[in-house]
Amino acid sequence: MASQAVSILKFLALISLFNLSFASRTSLELLRYHNGALLHGKIAVNLIWYGRFTPSQRAIVADFITSLSASSQSNAQPSVATWWKTTEKYYNLPNSNKNPSSLSLYLGKQLLDEDYSLGKSLSEKQIEQLASKGDLKNAINVLLTASDVAVDGFCVNRCGTHGSKNALVNGKNNKFAYIWVGNSETQCPGYCAWPFHQPIYGPQSPPLIAPNNDFGLDGMVMNLGGLLAGTATNPFGNGYYQGPSEAPLEAASACPGVFGKGAYPGYAGNLLVDPTTGGSYNAHGANGRKYLLPAIFDPTTSKCSTLV
């Protein structure tokens, strides 16, 4: 266990050095464009709830998706919509001329599968099967699994994932994007809900208070935000990324553990704190919500962009 912890610390140190080197490189060197299509136009974000979630938990995520739109932008700043605007910069890069249209996300359908139709242990193939329950065109289908659902690779090397799948729509082949995110509350909060829980490895510091008073769901929003950024800029595996296509470094994963200025391994950065609840956040959302969202790599500055 000790040697494993040391390895993790070394890994975090390397990530930190990697982040520091960003400023000396160009965006094309970091997140190279692989000539594929990006999502564009109006895209519905459909939420597929697998397992038991309370209405208040579902509202946390639904309000986050609603907050992405500039039309529902909170008057309070910094906002979720402002955070999302960094992804638009990828659409305006010279080598994105084949994708001139911007992307507009809106909350689509919400589907409930409270009876665990495929059981409580899911494979990658079953994730795709469940994600296919949403719209298969002009949509991102987001599968959210409850805290008592095990998924291949969950808590081992991932907290969620995004991908795409071919589907037949009106007799024509179509490819739709999907995301899966798990609730780590009971399985691995130190891995997937940090900084709202003490980390499994590395520097130990007191956990922050979750802004919506639910560290499992607040952790899901953090991971969902990063995966949405990856989906927008690399929806079909041939957009903007660095490294091998099967394990790419993308818009948000290029800035691991960074939520505010001054972040370093074990420290999320200088964040805002709600004076009433004590919750830490960096973005205002719809219906008075507050969220903690990951930094996004800004291709125009070659730096991790934070709201605070």
Side-chain angles (χ1 to χ4, degrees):
M1 181 65 75
S3 60
Q4 189 174 13
V6 170
S7 297
I8 293 294
L9 284 171
K10 288 182 178 178
F11 175 70
L12 291 172
L14 286 172
I15 286 178
S16 180
L17 289 172
F18 180 68
N19 282 336
L20 289 173
S21 70
F22 278 179
S24 64
R25 306 183 190 179
T26 67
S27 60
L28 294 181
E29 287 177 312
L30 286 168
L31 299 183
R32 188 166 65 86
Y33 183 49
H34 293 74
N35 301 314
L38 305 183
L39 298 179
H40 63 276
K42 291 187 175 181
I43 300 291
V45 179
N46 300 312
L47 303 180
I48 303 166
W49 300 93
Y50 189 82
R52 303 295 174 86
F53 291 89
T54 66
S56 61
Q57 288 179 320
R58 294 197 297 268
I60 291 172
V61 178
D63 285 345
F64 167 64
I65 300 301
T66 300
S67 304
L68 293 167
S69 170
S71 62
S72 61
Q73 186 170 348
S74 168
N75 290 327
Q77 291 293 331
S79 69
V80 173
T82 300
W83 170 82
W84 184 247
K85 281 185 176 298
T86 302
T87 63
E88 296 179 6
K89 296 182 180 182
Y90 287 84
Y91 288 75
N92 298 322
L93 294 175
N95 55 359
S96 293
N97 288 335
K98 65 169 62 177
N99 300 291
S101 300
S102 60
L103 172 64
S104 177
L105 301 182
Y106 66 94
L107 180 63
K109 302 173 183 176
Q110 295 197 59
L111 308 176
L112 306 183
D113 189 339
E114 297 182 309
D115 295 325
Y116 307 89
S117 61
L118 298 182
K120 292 187 176 183
S121 181
L122 303 177
S123 64
E124 188 67 35
K125 185 176 181 180
Q126 289 173 316
I127 291 293
E128 294 182 356
Q129 180 181 342
L130 290 167
S132 299
K133 290 186 175 183
D135 296 332
L136 304 181
K137 188 176 182 180
N138 298 326
I140 300 173
N141 294 332
V142 179
L143 175 66
L144 304 113
T145 51
S147 59
D148 57 349
V149 177
V151 177
D152 283 354
F154 185 42
C155 296
V156 177
N157 54 20
R158 60 181 183 168
C159 304
T161 191
H162 79 88
S164 61
K165 191 177 190 315
N166 291 314
L168 201 62
V169 180
N170 297 325
K172 297 181 179 180
N173 286 324
N174 184 67
K175 185 175 284 188
F176 72 94
Y178 70 87
I179 292 173
W180 157 70
V181 181
N183 184 351
S184 66
E185 180 182 4
T186 59
Q187 298 185 54
C188 60
Y191 185 67
C192 294
W194 181 86
F196 301 130
H197 192 281
Q198 284 188 290
I200 298 176
Y201 304 111
Q204 298 293 308
S205 57
L208 304 179
I209 297 175
N212 295 288
N213 198 34
D214 189 324
F215 67 84
L217 266 292
D218 278 298
M220 291 184 82
V221 170
M222 288 189 307
N223 296 320
L224 174 57
L227 290 166
L228 274 172
T231 299
T233 56
N234 186 32
F236 307 120
N238 53 8
Y240 287 93
Y241 69 89
Q242 175 76 315
S245 59
E246 62 273 11
L249 197 67
E250 298 178 322
S253 58
C255 304
V258 178
F259 296 92
K261 290 181 175 60
Y264 54 82
Y267 177 61
N270 300 319
L271 306 176
L272 301 174
V273 178
D274 188 306
T276 302
T277 66
S280 294
Y281 68 100
N282 60 10
H284 293 269
N287 298 320
R289 294 281 187 191
K290 296 178 175 67
Y291 297 103
L292 183 63
L293 302 175
I296 296 178
F297 182 75
D298 186 331
T300 64
T301 64
S302 294
K303 294 181 180 179
C304 292
S305 174
T306 61
L307 287 172
V308 296

